[in-house]
Amino acid sequence: MRLAIKRDKAVVDADGRVAGHSAGDTLLRRILRLYPGATLIGAQVRKGDGFDVAPLEFLDPHETAVLNMDVIDSSRVWQKMYALGAEHPKVMNFVWRSPNRFAAEEALASVALSVALFPTFANSERTASEIRELAERWTVSQLYNKMRLSYVNLGFRLAHVQERHEPDVPIVLYPAIYLSAVKRPELFLDVCEWVHKRTPITVEMRLHENHLVSEAAMKFSHKDWVWVGPLTATRDSYWNALSRTTAFLATCCEESYGIEYVEALGAGVVGIFPDLPWARALVPPEYPFFYSTQEEAQKMLWRAVVDTAACRDELDACAGGSLQRWIGEHHSDDAFDERLTEKVQQWLGVTA
C-alpha cells in the first residue's frame, strides 16, 4: 500500500520541491519527508524531489491510501476511488486548520460528515476538541459514536534555533503572514504605535504575496519604522531572522494551533498573547504575558522591548528554569512524526 497526499493548494516549483511558507506547505513537506516515494495528488504527472505528482485517477485504487489535507471533500475522494474499482477505499483526514473557520452551514456539515466517516488526525488537542463537537452537532449518533480521532501538537525541532544576536533597536515581529480580519492587524498597529512613541522599535512584517500587495500592507509600509516585505526565502533565513527578533505581539482571535508562536518562543523571542484559550494552550500555566485589554498589551510590549532580559528571566521562571526546554518538550517535532506515522499505519496500512 502506497501513500498519496492531497492538498489542492500545493505548488511544486521547477526544482520539484513543495513551494510556499504557509502552515499547510510546511506540513506537506514534513509528511513527504516521512514517506519518501509518496505521491502528491495533482493535476499533471511529474516527478518531484523525492515524491511523485499525479492525478488521483492515475493511481491504483487498490494499492493507494489517501491522506487528505482538504478534509471537506474526503467523501468525494472516497467515491472517486470506489468508482475506480476499490471496494473499500482507504481515506484519512488530516485537519491542520480550525474547522470553525467555515461560515456556511453546508461547509460545516460537510466537514462534520467527513470527520465522522473517516479516521481523522488533528494538529492539536484544541482542534481535536472542535472536531468532536462539530461531529456531535452535525451528524447522527451512529456516526459520531464510531469516530476515530487522534491528535498531537505539531511541534518543531530545537536544533533549528540559532544563536541570538540582539539588535541595536528592538525588533517587534508581526507573527502572521496574513492581514485577514481574524488576525486583527489594526490592533497590532495601534499597540506598536503607542510603544514606538515612547521608545525606538522596528516592526517587521513578512507577508504572503497575496497580502503583500494589499491596501492594508501599504498602510503599514508608509511608516518609516515598519518594514513590510516577503516571506524569508529559506528556513535557515527564517531562523536567522528569529535570532535577532526581540518580541512579538499576537493579536489573532482564533488559532487552531500556532506553530509560528511556538517557534518564536523557542528562539528566545518574548511573546505577548491575548488572554484566549488557543494561546494558553501553547505555554506554561504561569506564563506572565497575557493581555485582556489594549492598554495591557501596550504596557507588556513596552516592557518587553525596554527590559527584555528581565522578561526572559520571567519566562524561564514560569517554565521551571528554561522556557526553551519546556517548549521543546511540549511541542516536539519527534512526537508529531511518531504519532502521525503510528496512525497512518493503523488506519491506512502504510508504513513510513
Side-chain angles (χ1 to χ4, degrees):
M1 189 67 65
R2 293 190 59 191
L3 185 68
I5 305 154
K6 181 177 177 295
R7 182 169 187 259
D8 286 343
K9 293 184 178 180
V11 175
V12 179
D13 63 22
D15 296 322
R17 299 185 178 93
V18 173
H21 294 265
S22 71
D25 299 325
T26 300
L27 283 170
L28 178 56
R29 286 189 287 266
R30 287 172 66 170
I31 296 169
L32 287 169
R33 283 196 295 270
L34 288 173
Y35 293 93
T39 299
L40 175 62
I41 296 174
Q44 297 179 329
V45 176
R46 60 172 294 190
K47 292 292 292 184
D49 184 13
F51 60 93
D52 298 319
V53 182
L56 180 61
E57 295 83 354
F58 285 32
L59 305 179
D60 184 346
H62 303 284
E63 297 297 328
T64 302
V66 176
L67 177 64
N68 190 11
M69 298 178 69
D70 306 305
V71 177
I72 197 169
D73 70 348
S74 285
S75 293
R76 184 179 65 84
V77 172
W78 187 95
Q79 291 165 5
K80 186 174 290 188
M81 295 176 71
Y82 185 80
L84 290 171
E87 186 174 354
H88 300 289
K90 293 189 174 185
V91 180
M92 171 181 165
N93 292 320
F94 182 18
V95 184
W96 55 277
R97 300 177 67 188
S98 171
N100 292 327
R101 73 185 188 280
F102 293 109
E105 289 188 348
E106 295 84 351
L108 287 168
S110 296
V111 172
L113 181 61
S114 176
V115 298
L117 284 173
F118 304 105
T120 299
F121 190 81
N123 69 337
S124 69
E125 182 178 8
R126 179 173 176 78
T127 302
S129 177
E130 291 176 352
I131 289 168
R132 189 173 295 281
E133 292 173 3
L134 192 68
E136 185 175 19
R137 178 182 178 188
W138 289 95
T139 67
V140 295
S141 59
Q142 291 94 322
L143 293 179
Y144 168 74
N145 291 333
K146 293 181 179 179
M147 276 187 68
R148 290 165 290 175
L149 177 63
S150 186
Y151 71 89
V152 72
N153 288 333
L154 295 179
F156 76 106
R157 199 172 296 278
L158 277 176
H160 293 313
V161 174
Q162 297 184 12
E163 183 180 355
R164 288 206 57 81
H165 299 283
E166 304 300 341
D168 294 331
V169 176
I171 294 174
V172 176
L173 175 68
Y174 175 69
I177 64 174
Y178 302 112
L179 294 171
S180 48
V182 70
K183 301 295 185 181
R184 297 193 292 182
E186 291 295 334
L187 174 59
F188 176 86
L189 179 59
D190 289 346
V191 172
C192 289
E193 280 197 309
W194 186 92
V195 173
H196 177 258
K197 289 177 181 178
R198 288 156 178 80
T199 188
I201 60 170
T202 298
V203 166
E204 292 190 355
M205 306 179 73
R206 302 181 188 90
L207 303 178
H208 188 277
E209 59 184 10
N210 292 340
H211 287 237
L212 190 59
V213 296
S214 66
E215 184 177 337
M218 291 298 293
K219 177 182 177 180
F220 279 96
S221 64
H222 285 158
K223 300 181 182 299
D224 60 9
W225 49 276
V226 177
W227 179 88
V228 180
L231 300 170
T232 52
T234 65
R235 291 295 287 175
D236 185 67
S237 58
Y238 168 80
W239 286 103
N240 181 263
L242 284 180
S243 73
R244 57 180 177 76
T245 301
T246 309
F248 69 78
L249 173 65
T251 51
C252 190
C253 298
E254 183 68 44
E255 294 278 11
S256 64
Y257 176 51
I259 186 62
E260 299 92 345
Y261 312 106
V262 170
E263 290 176 333
L265 291 172
V269 182
V270 178
I272 312 298
F273 289 99
D275 194 358
L276 294 171
W278 72 261
R280 288 198 173 273
L282 299 179
V283 295
E286 302 303 320
Y287 192 88
F289 299 118
F290 285 109
Y291 64 88
S292 298
T293 67
Q294 182 172 326
E295 291 73 20
E296 290 176 352
Q298 291 168 177
K299 292 176 181 178
M300 288 180 182
L301 183 59
W302 175 83
R303 184 160 175 260
V305 297
V306 301
D307 198 9
T308 310
C311 289
R312 289 200 181 110
D313 288 342
E314 290 183 34
L315 294 180
D316 286 337
C318 85
S322 171
L323 180 63
Q324 185 183 73
R325 184 177 65 245
W326 190 97
I327 291 291
E329 291 172 351
H330 289 78
H331 301 276
S332 167
D333 193 351
D334 291 335
F336 169 82
D337 293 353
E338 181 179 341
R339 183 70 61 84
L340 178 64
T341 54
E342 172 193 334
K343 290 304 176 182
V344 168
Q345 182 171 2
Q346 177 184 344
W347 290 335
L348 298 181
V350 179
T351 57

